[in-house]
Amino acid sequence: MSMKTLTAGVLAATLSFTAVAPTTATADLSREDAIVGIATLLLFGAAIHNSRNNDPAPVRTNPRPSPQNDAWRVLPANCLTHATRRNGDQVRFFGQRCLNQSYRAVNRLPQACRVAFRTRAGQHRAGYTPQCLRNHGFRTNRH
């Protein structure tokens, strides 16, 4: 029998006897009645506290992803390339065309990591910066 069931039964019995018992309008409360009342309140408080502490721990609904669930975060290393911008700076990036051809989850890549620029030859290049992707939990399939 659980503590909640026992508490509910005691409460129901107390209320039913209180409603049936004849009462007189007296202001006197004997010492024994006061002790019984306080003890009853303490028992109810302890039962409520115990029922709250005995609740099972919440079940973790979001287990840690297994390596198979995380496989989409592995980028093909052959798509990592570099180019020179018009201003002469070297840029390392995962090429957009290569990713579209050899990586299934391109739509899951963070847009904050996207880069687009023109090379010295005037070509328009687009892709994703490796450091930003690494910061978002991506890695390459290079061992």
Side-chain angles (χ1 to χ4, degrees):
M1 179 176 351
S2 74
M3 196 62 154
K4 290 180 183 180
T5 307
L6 179 65
T7 305
V10 170
L11 180 62
T14 304
L15 290 175
S16 66
F17 288 130
T18 304
V20 174
T23 58
T24 58
T26 61
D28 289 340
L29 186 65
S30 70
R31 180 175 271 186
E32 293 84 19
D33 289 341
I35 292 172
V36 169
I38 292 171
T40 303
L41 288 174
L42 288 174
L43 285 174
F44 279 129
I48 291 170
H49 179 74
N50 190 24
S51 71
R52 288 184 182 162
N53 286 345
N54 285 340
D55 287 344
V59 177
R60 188 174 173 195
T61 58
N62 229 358
R64 183 164 239 211
S66 66
Q68 292 101 359
N69 293 345
D70 210 22
W72 64 273
R73 289 190 176 268
V74 179
L75 300 167
N78 62 313
C79 291
L80 185 60
T81 187
H82 66 278
T84 306
R85 291 183 185 214
R86 281 186 165 179
N87 65 4
D89 291 344
Q90 285 282 326
V91 179
R92 286 186 51 194
F93 65 102
F94 286 93
Q96 183 72 53
R97 237 182 265 141
C98 180
L99 289 173
N100 286 341
Q101 292 172 356
S102 57
Y103 179 66
R104 295 175 118 175
V106 174
N107 60 339
R108 295 176 93 173
L109 294 174
Q111 289 302 305
C113 298
R114 186 157 168 71
V115 63
F117 59 94
R118 288 197 180 268
T119 65
R120 279 193 165 176
Q123 296 175 321
H124 179 73
R125 302 294 301 264
Y128 296 86
T129 58
Q131 183 63 45
C132 180
L133 291 173
R134 194 174 306 117
N135 292 342
H136 281 86
F138 291 87
R139 61 190 185 282
T140 62
N141 60 2
R142 192 178 341 181
H143 297 287

